[in-house]
Structures are given as structure tokens and as C-alpha cells.
Amino acid sequence: MSNLFTAPSPLRQRFRPLWWLGITYLAITFVTRVVLLVMSGGNVPHTPLNLLYAFGVGLGYDLVTFIYLAWPMVLLLWLVPTRSGRTPPPLRWLLYAAGVTLACVLCVGSLHLIYHASLKVTWPAIIPFLFVLPLAGFTYTSRVGQWVVYGFGLLLVYGLLFIAASELVFWNEFSVRFNFIAVDYLVYTTEVIGNIRESYPIWRWLALLVVLALVIFLVGRRGLRARDSGSRLWQRGKLVLLWLGLTAVSVFAVNGGMKDRTGNTYLDELAGNGIYQFFAAFRSSHLDYAKFYRTLPDDQAYARLRELLQTPDATFISDDPRDLTRAIRHVGPEKHLNVVLISVESLSGDYLGTFGNTQQLTPYLDSLVDHSVFFDNLYANGTRTVRGLEALSLSVPPTPGDSLIREHNNEDLFSLASIFNDRGYQSDFVYGGYGQFDNMNYFFGHNGYRDVDRRDIPKGTVIHGQNVWGVADEDLYTMALGQMDQIHAEGKPFFLHVMTTSNHRPYTFPDNRVKFPNQSRAGAVAYTDWAIGDFIRRAREKPYFDDTVFVVTADHCASSAGKTSLPINRYHIPLWIYAPAHFKPERVHRLMGQLDIPPTLLGMLNFSYRTRFFGHDLFALPPDREHAFPGTYEKLGYLQDDVLTILEPRRRLEQLKPDYATGDATPVQPLRQSLIDDAVAYYQVASEQFASGAMKRRPEDSTRVEPLPAPAATVPAPATSAPAPAASTESVPTPMQ
């Protein structure tokens, strides 16, 4: 190998383009990191130690990533012959192609034999073989070979610049490097590409990237000169073996979590590499809880969780320690009111004037606070829409990896809709976009809901606004009112879960609705508020209005960025339960998790039913047991008693005292083991219950649960009666014009 590093070495001549690619790549990643540092602002103090960490550790991740990225160039420089030799080129290529085809067949066949994987699963393994297939059709030092190297180098530079620009856009939106969100986005290219096209001057940017790639290529093209004074395939294979060894070592010695050491999430992210983290997130899409996280003995975990789920209104129906089914019993008849649950896209609590915002973005929702049961200490389960939908339909903690909405074998789960359906309700999931996104239509359609989306809008319907994510919220609510009218005409009560989209980038909405500009976040929030007010105004004209409960909350916050791994202020969301003829206005300050919304709603309706929900009816929960479950796809949070316990892969753990205003946090010492065990019990059992099929709905779940008898001194009211309204309908707020 010593001849590899001497000036006249044919190998050094041959692999000179690899050096060129490495230097170019490191320059691009350095500039990207500088720009991201500037975009971070004051979140990363520019101290020498911080800068050394960001750029020093970052260089390490860049080098590791380059080992993977360089494989196409390594293969090209290894396999392309130096000269034609005595074998005619067509025959030489045919023999080579036969060998490549045989290797491809052996690879795919081995995957099938070892893992029983079909071609539908293993087809990506064919791509590398398609890449190397033409490499023996020309010689390296020929004119064709030179232009192939030039073209390949230019293509790689453009790709690296495109990735760098994508990272800047992603950071601007999420304040992190590529993560599981980016992995999800690649699955739904229609919506994502459409969103980018509607939000940014994409064609101008792509053209500028072409110009920049050409400039870099022209400045450094000497490094791509095809020179080789006589290397042989077996000699070049030595470097390939070395590269293979480096790849193997990096796979086992490096992981994406090694950089997370400073306690400042912005700084840790700067020290990472977007490409590396993308593939790390891809590998983490299906995290096995028992394999990666802290656990308790199964019997202990179930016993602890049964204690945590026990409330005064609940009775376990079985002595089986692993059966979580409880009978919830209330006094008196159930209120079979209509329910409209609106999960609003990205409605962060800090947009509300009620919580101190001075921009007057939400005048209607702020006015609705005084006429609703308003919960002001509620925290979302996650940072993605599917996490909010999961909590609102299944009442489960955010299990690691993918949301249950996107997992396999997620049909026929015990859901909120199933409880309503047992009482003769028609349950609909209404979405203004195409519900195949994030697997929403499949999930809801197989778990008790009728899925209704953009495709169900009747032809000829006036659409006031639309973008790639869906129709404008006012048109979505028109769809919902149509469903409500239809179900009411059939003589059934209805349960609608309505998911909005207008408060999502590109933030477009119909003109002349609000005073804020179109395509701005402020405008989208204000329009969201206007549309909800308009919806309730229109619903008030319906004969079923007085017997309808409107539940308004958020799927998640607009931003998840913060200095800590789970900045608690980025999970704070509001909740209104509005039914002026039935529920007296009240402001509830108790801590609540998003998964507690379904059982709390059912409790307010006085339902007696069987459940395996992980959430609680907040009004039946002792004050010292209030909690929330903020999380990401791999960090699992448990907030109780002003302590945030965070479970992480590789069985790591953090325990922090959060600052609810800023999202910052300080470590808790000593650790509170009881809270750790509670967090482990919830997440461990939830993951095991889904994996084992125990979350599935059972026929006996429909068993009628008799209500508790009324106290002897109380005469129960007729089932058709309702509490007197707290205020006349004339005092209910009207939407702002």
C-alpha cells in the first residue's frame, strides 16, 4: 500500500477525483454549518468552546458521512478499466454484465432465503447493481471516460448543493437537521413537493444551484482529470477493501446520539450532519421499545400501570394482570349529544391573546374562552399531526418510532369512535386534503370512522381557496356541515373529527378574510380563527346546534425548536369544550395530556363504558396524578409534579425541571425513581400492547355498562333533560368580521 501515497503512483492518479470530491464536500458542509449557526441566532452563544464543539464534532460526522457518500465514486474509479486490452469491448462488457447480473441475483436470493423477503421489499438492493452495470463499457483514460468523470463529478456537486439548500429550508422550518420528519416527507412527494413549490421560488433556487455547481466544477475541474499510468483492477481493489473496512467500523463505532452532549439542542444539531441524521432517522422508524429503552420486569410494569390507571370511576373487569380493560361508571343517564372535534393544524398556545399574545391573531377563540370549559394547561403528545390524531382517537402515549396511524397491523383498534358507534352514532373523519397522506384514510377507515376527504366534495361546489394540503378551512367546514346535516336527517347522533390544514405552510387562504397578509404565519393563524368563528355561526342556524358539543384543540404546536430536547413550551396547546346549553363555562388550570381529551370528553357526556384508554378523565383524576406525555419519534417524555422524565434510546435517561415559559430546563438531582418507573410502565406497556394485538377492539367491549345508582336523596333527571345553560344564546360570542 505504500505506493498509494507516492507521487508517481498510478493509484494516486486514479483516485485523485476522490480527493477532489472529499475537499469539495467538506467545504460545502463547512459553509452550511456556518449559515446554520447564523440562523440559530442567540440560541448558540458564540464562545470558543461552543464553536470548537460545533465544527470539531461536526467535522467528525462529515468525514463519517463522506465514507458512505463516496461509494459511487469509489466504485466508478475501481471498476472502469484503464485500457481496452485484447478482449473486444462488446464481449468484455457482456462478460462483465453477466457477472454483475449473477451477483445481483445471488444478493436478492440471499435476502429472500435469510429474511423471507419478497422482491417488493428487496428491490432497492438492485439499485447499486444498476449503477455499476455500465462501468465496464468504456475505458478510464479515453475521451468518453474523461467526460463521464466530469459529468459524474458535476452531478455529485449539484446533489450536495441541493442537499445543503434543503437543510437550510428544513432548519428554517424545524430548527433541526434532517430527522424523522424528513423521512416521512419523502414518502409523500406530491404534498411535500407541492408545498415547497407553493412556499418558495423553487425554480429560481434550482437555477442558482446549477450556476453555483458549474462555478465549483470549473474552478476545480483539474482534480477530475482522468489519469492512470497503469493501475490494475486488483491493485485498485486494495483501496476498495480499505474503504469497506472504514465503512464497517463507522457503522459499529458511530451513532447519531454521540453528539448530544452539551444540553443545548441547537448546538448538538449544529454538530451533526444532515445526511447522516436522515439515514439514522430512517433506521429508527420502527424502534422496538424493549430493545432500545429502559424496561421493568413485565409483571411489575403491568402492575404499576394498573395502579396508575385506577381512578374512582373505574373498575377493572378482570383479575388478569395484563388486561387493562376497565368499566367506567357515572351516575345517571348518558348525554347522547352530537360531538364535533376539531384538531387545528399547528395552533400553538402562544398564538392566543388569552396566553399573552398581543398581535390579536385569535379574537374569536379568545372570546370563546369565557363561554366554554377551557383547559389552559394542556400539552400535546408530539410534534406531528399523526401524533395528535393518535392521541385524540386512541388515547395512547406516543410510542417510539412511527405513529400507530402509520404502523402495520393498526386495524380494528379500540378507538374513541368505537365507543360512540356502540351508541348509534355515525363517526366521520373529515379532512380537506387527500387522506392517503400519512395513512390517515386507511387508519380512520379501519378503526370505526367513515373517512371523508377532498375527493368527496360534490362537483360544482364553490371552493374559496385551496393549496397542496387541501381546501381552505371554510370549505372544509362546509364539508363538515354537509355531513352533519346528512347524519341528522337520518335520525342519528354524529361524531365528527375534523382536521384542518390552512395553518400550514404555504399559509394561503381566501382574500378579504383577515387584516394580516396572505402567505404569512400570522395571516394563517388569524384566518384559522376567523374560519372557526364562521363555522360556529353557521352551525348555530342548524336545528341540532343546541345538542352539539364543539371540541377545539390543536394537533401540535407550530414549532418544536428549543435549547432542550423536549422544550415544554413547544407542546403547550389550548382546548375548548363548547356547548352553551349543556356545560357551564369554566377555566380549568389542571395539568392535562392530549391523550386525556377523549376520556375527559366522555366523562362530560356522562358515558358509562368499557375502555382500554391510557388517558384519564381529568375530572375523575386525583390532583397529584395529573400528567402529560410530550415526545418525539425517539425521545419519550413524561411530565408530572413539575418534573419531566425523558426516556431515550440505548436506555438513556434525562430528568429535568422544566421552565414552562421558556422551555429551558435544569437537571433534577437526585433522580426521582418513582417517576422514572411510572414513565417506563406507561411506554413499555403501550408498546407491548400494540405489538401483541391487545389494543384491538374485542366484541365484549360493546357490553353495556350500567351507570351508578343515584344517591338516595337525589331524584335523577329524565334522560332527555339537560342542565340549564350558563348564558343565553344571545350572549355567545359571534365571529369577528
Short mmCIF file of all heavy atoms in Angstrom, two decimals, residues 392-419:
data_model
loop_
_atom_site.label_atom_id
_atom_site.label_comp_id
_atom_site.label_asym_id
_atom_site.label_seq_id
_atom_site.Cartn_x
_atom_site.Cartn_y
_atom_site.Cartn_z
N LEU A 392 -55.89 11.67 20.02
CA LEU A 392 -57.31 12.02 20.05
C LEU A 392 -58.21 10.86 19.67
O LEU A 392 -59.39 10.85 20.02
CB LEU A 392 -57.56 13.21 19.12
CG LEU A 392 -56.92 14.53 19.56
CD1 LEU A 392 -57.05 15.57 18.45
CD2 LEU A 392 -57.54 15.04 20.85
N SER A 393 -57.69 9.89 18.94
CA SER A 393 -58.53 8.76 18.54
C SER A 393 -58.30 7.51 19.38
O SER A 393 -59.22 6.72 19.59
CB SER A 393 -58.28 8.42 17.07
OG SER A 393 -56.92 8.10 16.83
N LEU A 394 -57.07 7.32 19.88
CA LEU A 394 -56.74 6.09 20.61
C LEU A 394 -56.41 6.31 22.09
O LEU A 394 -56.36 5.34 22.84
CB LEU A 394 -55.54 5.40 19.95
CG LEU A 394 -55.70 5.01 18.48
CD1 LEU A 394 -54.40 4.38 17.96
CD2 LEU A 394 -56.86 4.05 18.29
N SER A 395 -56.14 7.57 22.47
CA SER A 395 -55.78 7.88 23.86
C SER A 395 -54.60 7.03 24.33
O SER A 395 -54.68 6.30 25.32
CB SER A 395 -56.98 7.68 24.80
OG SER A 395 -56.66 8.08 26.12
N VAL A 396 -53.48 7.13 23.58
CA VAL A 396 -52.27 6.38 23.90
C VAL A 396 -51.08 7.33 24.00
O VAL A 396 -51.09 8.39 23.38
CB VAL A 396 -51.97 5.30 22.84
CG1 VAL A 396 -53.03 4.22 22.86
CG2 VAL A 396 -51.85 5.91 21.45
N PRO A 397 -50.04 6.96 24.75
CA PRO A 397 -48.81 7.74 24.73
C PRO A 397 -48.13 7.61 23.36
O PRO A 397 -48.41 6.67 22.61
CB PRO A 397 -47.95 7.09 25.83
CG PRO A 397 -48.87 6.20 26.59
CD PRO A 397 -49.96 5.82 25.67
N PRO A 398 -47.23 8.52 23.02
CA PRO A 398 -46.55 8.46 21.73
C PRO A 398 -45.45 7.39 21.72
O PRO A 398 -44.30 7.66 22.06
CB PRO A 398 -45.96 9.87 21.57
CG PRO A 398 -45.74 10.33 22.98
CD PRO A 398 -46.85 9.72 23.79
N THR A 399 -45.79 6.18 21.33
CA THR A 399 -44.82 5.09 21.32
C THR A 399 -43.68 5.40 20.36
O THR A 399 -43.87 6.15 19.39
CB THR A 399 -45.50 3.77 20.94
OG1 THR A 399 -46.27 3.97 19.74
CG2 THR A 399 -46.43 3.31 22.04
N PRO A 400 -42.47 4.84 20.58
CA PRO A 400 -41.30 5.25 19.79
C PRO A 400 -41.39 4.82 18.33
O PRO A 400 -42.09 3.87 17.98
CB PRO A 400 -40.15 4.53 20.50
CG PRO A 400 -40.77 3.37 21.19
CD PRO A 400 -42.13 3.85 21.61
N GLY A 401 -40.65 5.55 17.49
CA GLY A 401 -40.65 5.28 16.06
C GLY A 401 -41.85 5.92 15.41
O GLY A 401 -42.23 7.05 15.72
N ASP A 402 -42.46 5.20 14.51
CA ASP A 402 -43.58 5.73 13.76
C ASP A 402 -44.84 5.79 14.60
O ASP A 402 -45.02 5.01 15.54
CB ASP A 402 -43.84 4.85 12.53
CG ASP A 402 -44.08 5.66 11.28
OD1 ASP A 402 -44.41 6.85 11.41
OD2 ASP A 402 -43.91 5.12 10.18
N SER A 403 -45.73 6.72 14.26
CA SER A 403 -47.04 6.78 14.90
C SER A 403 -47.83 5.52 14.57
O SER A 403 -47.68 4.92 13.50
CB SER A 403 -47.80 8.01 14.40
OG SER A 403 -49.18 7.91 14.69
N LEU A 404 -48.70 5.13 15.48
CA LEU A 404 -49.55 3.96 15.23
C LEU A 404 -50.44 4.18 14.01
O LEU A 404 -50.87 3.21 13.38
CB LEU A 404 -50.42 3.67 16.46
CG LEU A 404 -49.68 3.38 17.77
CD1 LEU A 404 -50.67 2.92 18.83
CD2 LEU A 404 -48.58 2.35 17.58
N ILE A 405 -50.70 5.42 13.66
CA ILE A 405 -51.51 5.69 12.48
C ILE A 405 -50.81 5.21 11.21
O ILE A 405 -51.46 4.86 10.23
CB ILE A 405 -51.84 7.20 12.40
CG1 ILE A 405 -52.85 7.54 13.48
CG2 ILE A 405 -52.36 7.62 11.02
CD1 ILE A 405 -53.25 8.99 13.55
N ARG A 406 -49.50 5.13 11.23
CA ARG A 406 -48.74 4.73 10.06
C ARG A 406 -48.14 3.33 10.19
O ARG A 406 -47.46 2.86 9.29
CB ARG A 406 -47.61 5.74 9.81
CG ARG A 406 -48.12 7.09 9.35
CD ARG A 406 -47.05 8.18 9.50
NE ARG A 406 -45.76 7.75 9.03
CZ ARG A 406 -45.33 7.87 7.76
NH1 ARG A 406 -46.14 8.40 6.87
NH2 ARG A 406 -44.14 7.46 7.42
N GLU A 407 -48.38 2.67 11.30
CA GLU A 407 -47.81 1.35 11.51
C GLU A 407 -48.63 0.28 10.79
O GLU A 407 -49.81 0.48 10.45
CB GLU A 407 -47.78 1.02 13.01
CG GLU A 407 -46.68 1.74 13.78
CD GLU A 407 -45.32 1.09 13.59
OE1 GLU A 407 -45.19 0.21 12.71
OE2 GLU A 407 -44.40 1.47 14.32
N HIS A 408 -48.01 -0.87 10.58
CA HIS A 408 -48.72 -2.03 10.06
C HIS A 408 -49.59 -2.64 11.18
O HIS A 408 -49.34 -2.44 12.36
CB HIS A 408 -47.74 -3.07 9.54
CG HIS A 408 -46.92 -2.60 8.38
ND1 HIS A 408 -47.46 -2.28 7.15
CD2 HIS A 408 -45.58 -2.36 8.26
CE1 HIS A 408 -46.51 -1.89 6.32
NE2 HIS A 408 -45.36 -1.93 6.97
N ASN A 409 -50.60 -3.36 10.78
CA ASN A 409 -51.49 -4.05 11.72
C ASN A 409 -52.16 -3.09 12.70
O ASN A 409 -52.28 -3.37 13.90
CB ASN A 409 -50.72 -5.14 12.49
CG ASN A 409 -50.12 -6.17 11.57
OD1 ASN A 409 -50.77 -6.63 10.64
ND2 ASN A 409 -48.87 -6.53 11.82
N ASN A 410 -52.58 -1.94 12.18
CA ASN A 410 -53.23 -0.95 13.03
C ASN A 410 -54.74 -0.90 12.82
O ASN A 410 -55.39 0.08 13.16
CB ASN A 410 -52.63 0.44 12.81
CG ASN A 410 -52.90 0.98 11.40
OD1 ASN A 410 -53.47 0.28 10.55
ND2 ASN A 410 -52.48 2.20 11.14
N GLU A 411 -55.30 -1.98 12.28
CA GLU A 411 -56.73 -2.02 12.04
C GLU A 411 -57.49 -2.49 13.29
O GLU A 411 -56.95 -3.20 14.12
CB GLU A 411 -57.07 -2.98 10.88
CG GLU A 411 -56.34 -2.67 9.58
CD GLU A 411 -54.97 -3.33 9.48
OE1 GLU A 411 -54.55 -3.96 10.49
OE2 GLU A 411 -54.32 -3.21 8.42
N ASP A 412 -58.75 -2.08 13.39
CA ASP A 412 -59.67 -2.57 14.43
C ASP A 412 -59.15 -2.34 15.84
O ASP A 412 -59.29 -3.20 16.72
CB ASP A 412 -59.96 -4.06 14.21
CG ASP A 412 -60.53 -4.33 12.82
OD1 ASP A 412 -61.40 -3.56 12.38
OD2 ASP A 412 -60.09 -5.31 12.19
N LEU A 413 -58.54 -1.19 16.07
CA LEU A 413 -58.09 -0.85 17.41
C LEU A 413 -59.25 -0.27 18.22
O LEU A 413 -60.23 0.22 17.67
CB LEU A 413 -56.94 0.15 17.34
CG LEU A 413 -55.70 -0.27 16.53
CD1 LEU A 413 -54.67 0.84 16.53
CD2 LEU A 413 -55.10 -1.56 17.10
N PHE A 414 -59.10 -0.33 19.54
CA PHE A 414 -60.12 0.27 20.41
C PHE A 414 -59.97 1.78 20.31
O PHE A 414 -58.96 2.36 20.69
CB PHE A 414 -59.92 -0.20 21.85
CG PHE A 414 -60.98 0.30 22.79
CD1 PHE A 414 -62.17 -0.39 22.93
CD2 PHE A 414 -60.80 1.48 23.49
CE1 PHE A 414 -63.17 0.08 23.78
CE2 PHE A 414 -61.79 1.95 24.35
CZ PHE A 414 -62.98 1.25 24.49
N SER A 415 -61.00 2.45 19.78
CA SER A 415 -60.91 3.87 19.46
C SER A 415 -62.06 4.64 20.07
O SER A 415 -63.06 4.07 20.53
CB SER A 415 -60.91 4.08 17.94
OG SER A 415 -62.18 3.76 17.41
N LEU A 416 -61.92 5.96 20.05
CA LEU A 416 -62.99 6.82 20.52
C LEU A 416 -64.25 6.61 19.68
O LEU A 416 -65.38 6.59 20.21
CB LEU A 416 -62.54 8.28 20.45
CG LEU A 416 -63.54 9.35 20.87
CD1 LEU A 416 -64.00 9.13 22.31
CD2 LEU A 416 -62.92 10.74 20.72
N ALA A 417 -64.08 6.44 18.37
CA ALA A 417 -65.24 6.23 17.50
C ALA A 417 -66.00 4.97 17.88
O ALA A 417 -67.24 4.94 17.80
CB ALA A 417 -64.79 6.15 16.04
N SER A 418 -65.29 3.93 18.30
CA SER A 418 -65.97 2.68 18.63
C SER A 418 -66.93 2.87 19.80
O SER A 418 -67.98 2.23 19.87
CB SER A 418 -64.95 1.58 18.92
OG SER A 418 -64.18 1.88 20.08
N ILE A 419 -66.57 3.73 20.74
CA ILE A 419 -67.46 3.99 21.88
C ILE A 419 -68.70 4.73 21.42
O ILE A 419 -69.83 4.41 21.84
CB ILE A 419 -66.70 4.79 22.96
CG1 ILE A 419 -65.52 3.95 23.50
CG2 ILE A 419 -67.63 5.21 24.09
CD1 ILE A 419 -64.61 4.70 24.43
#
